[in-house]
Amino acid sequence: MHELSIATNIVEIVEEEITKANAKEATEIVLEIGSMSGVIVEALEFAMDEAIKNTRLQKANRSIVELQAEAHCTKCQNKFEVDDFFAVCPKCGSFETDIIKGKELKIKTLKLN
Ligand SMILES: [Zn+2]
């Protein structure tokens, strides 16, 4: 399961930060996930519930911020919201578009105690 390996990875990163900071535990974790990151938020939340068991993250307040993906049209410079990789510019109809936002998958906030 894709989300489980992501959750395990997040736990590893946070555990490392806790050790580095000589802290006791994590108190708050905010994850930022783009709508085109390929991650299903509900599945990740479920996977996190499992992954944090018996770790120094288990008491932390967790939240996930979802980011709406955006694309940029290289022809007319228009910026618009998208939901898939084959984005067509709604203004000029061009296929020459770049995804500029929405692939994020990162720890936005981490508070340790
Ligand atoms: Zn355009």
Side-chain angles (χ1 to χ4, degrees):
M1 194 171 121
H2 184 52
E3 279 76 10
L4 188 56
S5 63
I6 293 167
T8 307
N9 197 10
I10 291 167
V11 169
E12 279 170 10
I13 292 166
V14 174
E15 282 278 13
E16 212 168 279
E17 290 300 318
I18 294 168
T19 303
K20 257 194 247 168
N22 234 338
K24 200 170 69 158
E25 60 188 5
T27 54
E28 191 183 349
I29 301 162
V30 180
L31 302 176
E32 197 169 65
I33 295 171
S35 59
M36 283 169 62
S37 62
V39 173
I40 298 157
V41 172
E42 291 76 20
L44 182 61
E45 279 180 336
F46 183 77
M48 284 294 288
D49 286 343
E50 290 300 313
I52 61 165
K53 274 179 190 165
N54 302 315
T55 71
R56 289 178 287 181
L57 284 68
Q58 61 183 352
K59 287 186 211 148
N61 285 318
R62 276 187 292 129
S63 51
I64 293 178
V65 178
E66 287 184 80
L67 292 179
Q68 169 64 49
E70 273 177 27
H72 168 252
C73 175
T74 54
K75 246 183 178 169
C76 75
Q77 314 304 319
N78 184 30
K79 277 181 191 170
F80 53 97
E81 292 188 351
V82 286
D83 291 309
D84 68 71
F85 284 95
F86 302 101
V88 182
C89 175
K91 208 169 159 190
C92 74
S94 171
F95 284 94
E96 289 167 40
T97 55
D98 294 321
I99 305 297
I100 52 169
K101 202 174 109 186
K103 293 183 195 165
E104 295 83 353
L105 173 56
K106 62 180 183 186
I107 298 168
K108 191 173 179 239
T109 308
L110 176 60
K111 284 182 186 158
L112 306 175
N113 185 18

